[in-house]
Amino acid sequence: MHDDAAGGAPWDPTRMHEYRDETDTLARAVIDYALTRVRMSPPDLDGPVPLRTLVERVGETITDDGLGEQALRIWIDELAPACISQDHPRMLSFVPSAPAKAAVLFDMVVGASAIYAGSWLEGAGAVHAENQALRYVADLAGLPPEAGGAFVAGGTAGNLSALVTARWKASQQRGGRPERWKVVASAEAHASVAASAQVMDVDVVDVPTDERGRMTGAALEGVLADLDARDVFAVVATAGTTNAGMVDDLAGIAEACRRHDIWMHVDGAYGGAAMAAPSARGLFDGIEATDSLVVDPHKWLFAPFDCAALVYRDPRLARAALTQRAAYLDVYNEPHEWNEWNPSDYAHHLSRRARGLPFWFALAVHGRRAFAEAVEQTLATTRAAVALIGERDHLALVMEPMLSVVMFRRLGWQTVDYRRWADELLAAGAGLVVPSRWRYQPVMRFCVVNPRTTPDDLAFLLDAMR
């Protein structure tokens, strides 16, 4: 033991792990701040700060003897304001997040509970609850009762795990590997598909898309006709492209995959949430045939980061492909009632927090109907955006949205104009709306996933572009 710097008394190595008076003071301050943030309606947008500014304002936070409660004050005063609030109603760039209050609150419980959620042995209660939330996602897609999987950090991790499983199955069925494995996807597929292929050392074959950026079954058939199908281990369809919010021709793609006996994976990380809305469910016809599916509740199903649902039609295949084996893991892999379902077997991971629990809790508190109504609200706001754009002569709609992404042009503007406007908007704390590109031309893009985003918010932004 060394001396306590403050009073010369011997330092207790267990001090950080005991609940003492100073811990209680810190706990009350932390919880008070967290509740203040949860109550904000809306929160401040906040924004990025240059590194040199943070270095100057924050100073060195990792010290020999610690900062005590001052660490929280630094977070509140300097670090938190340097982060964009994803749940601000005018945060419309990329794919934002709008977690339900119940999910945010339960995330605190997850952190306080010291749960390891990689195995049934150590986290049976948490895993059981997560599996009910996974069942909700599987039911949205119409997958069979035996479907299952795990929650992972995001669509990138989910896509990689699903593709590794697809390749394993193809290797088993075909008795070996070709010279080069291939995965087929459209040019509008998420960047993580190409990144996964790079990690796996496989080739990506692009399928041309239609005028809206959708992959069709006919186009897929045309590409497969020019390939040796034995080299293709998976087709990746997209249920809600990130840039334009388009849903591929899932029924046509499913039929092509069935005909050629190729694994169908659906990346619904963003758009899959719209299956919860009765008005949009028909857009996903054919998804019930998929072999694997990713949907990110932290995008449009009102969970906090990071939470992505990875579901397999036949999870036994994932377990065979992905289970890690070592002497110290034998206890997980032996037949026993405490090995009912180990989430570590269904993705490329081992250590994991119970990241699906906040999503489960919000579903359990509010019910399926509340989620459906909240998604419908965002779709109604998206339709309002289309009408607002049509009423303004300085704007032009690029194409009718399928989901909650709206692309439009400010007539006469180039990329530099869009970026200047976006920078000024952010500097004023009024919103984060950054431009994108469509068919090599600059466009502005709204992505609406927050039920508290209103047509008035959108009208304010559109009028600011005059």
Side-chain angles (χ1 to χ4, degrees):
M1 293 187 181
H2 65 271
D3 288 344
D4 187 315
W11 178 266
D12 182 354
T14 68
R15 186 173 181 177
M16 293 190 301
H17 296 83
E18 293 182 355
Y19 199 93
R20 304 184 177 196
D21 289 344
E22 62 266 31
T23 316
D24 190 71
T25 300
L26 181 62
R28 293 176 186 277
V30 168
I31 292 170
D32 182 65
Y33 167 73
L35 290 177
T36 297
R37 176 59 178 82
V38 171
R39 292 185 184 115
M40 288 182 178
S41 184
D44 295 333
L45 179 66
D46 296 326
V49 173
L51 173 61
R52 63 182 181 276
T53 302
L54 285 178
V55 169
E56 179 181 315
R57 292 179 180 174
V58 174
E60 183 57 64
T61 59
I62 309 303
T63 65
D64 286 344
D65 297 310
L67 301 178
E69 196 175 333
Q70 179 61 20
L72 178 61
R73 180 49 52 192
I74 291 172
W75 171 256
I76 295 171
D77 293 344
E78 304 295 347
L79 298 175
C83 302
I84 295 284
S85 295
Q86 294 289 312
D87 55 340
H88 190 282
R90 291 201 294 270
M91 167 57 192
L92 298 170
S93 292
F94 316 114
V95 180
S97 180
K101 301 301 185 184
V104 173
L105 292 170
F106 204 74
D107 208 18
M108 298 171 62
V109 174
V110 174
S113 299
I115 298 169
Y116 169 68
S119 73
W120 190 269
L121 169 64
E122 294 157 285
V127 174
H128 179 63
E130 285 190 317
N131 284 350
Q132 291 194 351
L134 286 169
R135 186 68 250 167
Y136 165 77
V137 175
D139 285 343
L140 291 179
L143 293 176
E146 61 271 19
F151 285 100
V152 296
T156 297
N159 288 338
L160 174 62
S161 298
L163 291 177
V164 168
T165 301
R167 185 176 62 178
W168 180 90
K169 182 189 178 189
S171 294
Q172 298 299 305
Q173 283 185 328
R174 301 170 195 176
R177 297 168 175 256
E179 184 176 343
R180 293 290 298 175
W181 278 118
K182 295 178 173 62
V183 58
V184 176
S186 84
E188 293 296 320
H190 191 267
S192 63
V193 175
S196 295
Q198 184 176 20
V199 168
M200 296 171 67
D201 191 27
V202 302
D203 298 329
V204 179
V205 179
D206 285 340
V207 177
T209 60
D210 65 14
E211 68 280 0
R212 294 190 293 171
R214 300 170 67 241
M215 178 168 66
T216 65
L220 174 61
E221 283 282 11
V223 169
L224 291 176
D226 293 333
L227 298 173
D228 185 340
R230 293 172 298 180
D231 297 346
V232 180
F233 68 89
V235 171
V236 178
T238 306
T241 57
T242 303
N243 198 30
M246 294 291 125
V247 180
D248 285 345
D249 169 22
L250 300 178
I253 293 166
E255 176 58 23
C257 289
R258 184 198 63 77
R259 185 177 297 114
H260 294 277
D261 193 20
I262 298 172
W263 183 285
M264 178 181 176
H265 173 65
V266 175
D267 179 359
Y270 150 62
M275 292 188 293
S279 69
R281 182 58 184 83
L283 298 173
F284 300 89
D285 287 350
I287 199 170
E288 65 278 1
T290 194
D291 293 292
S292 53
L293 167 68
V294 170
V295 177
D296 290 5
H298 67 224
K299 285 186 169 71
W300 198 7
L301 280 176
F302 319 120
F305 291 109
D306 49 10
C307 177
L310 169 60
V311 183
Y312 302 92
R313 169 177 296 278
D314 184 353
R316 294 173 301 178
L317 297 172
R319 185 174 185 180
L322 296 164
T323 295
Q324 297 187 34
R325 302 187 185 279
Y328 49 85
L329 299 176
D330 283 348
V331 68
Y332 290 160
N333 300 318
E334 296 166 352
H336 197 285
E337 64 181 5
W338 65 39
N339 287 330
E340 295 284 350
W341 193 274
N342 295 329
S344 60
D345 291 340
Y346 301 101
H348 183 60
H349 61 196
L350 185 60
S351 297
R352 68 179 295 273
R353 73 189 300 269
R355 55 173 47 90
L357 280 186
F359 175 50
W360 162 79
F361 188 71
L363 274 169
V365 167
H366 296 295
R368 291 186 292 262
R369 186 177 296 112
F371 275 69
E373 291 171 350
V375 175
E376 290 283 16
Q377 176 69 31
T378 60
L379 293 171
T381 302
T382 304
R383 293 190 292 270
V386 172
L388 291 167
I389 290 166
E391 294 167 359
R392 287 157 172 78
D393 58 10
H394 63 293
L395 304 173
L397 189 69
V398 172
M399 58 184 164
E400 289 287 333
M402 288 186 76
L403 299 176
S404 70
V405 171
V406 184
M407 280 184 157
F408 60 98
R409 292 187 176 90
R410 201 295 187 182
L411 300 179
W413 277 14
Q414 300 301 318
T415 299
V416 64
D417 303 299
Y418 286 110
R419 289 184 175 170
R420 182 186 303 113
W421 178 84
D423 288 346
E424 292 172 354
L425 187 76
L426 178 58
L432 180 62
V433 187
V434 300
S436 184
R437 284 177 287 112
W438 180 252
R439 301 301 190 238
Y440 307 106
Q441 297 299 314
V443 296
M444 191 50 78
R445 173 184 173 278
F446 291 161
C447 182
V448 182
V449 299
N450 190 337
R452 293 162 62 206
T453 299
T454 67
D456 286 345
D457 288 313
L458 304 183
F460 167 82
L461 295 168
L462 297 174
D463 288 339
M465 299 181 76
R466 287 192 183 274

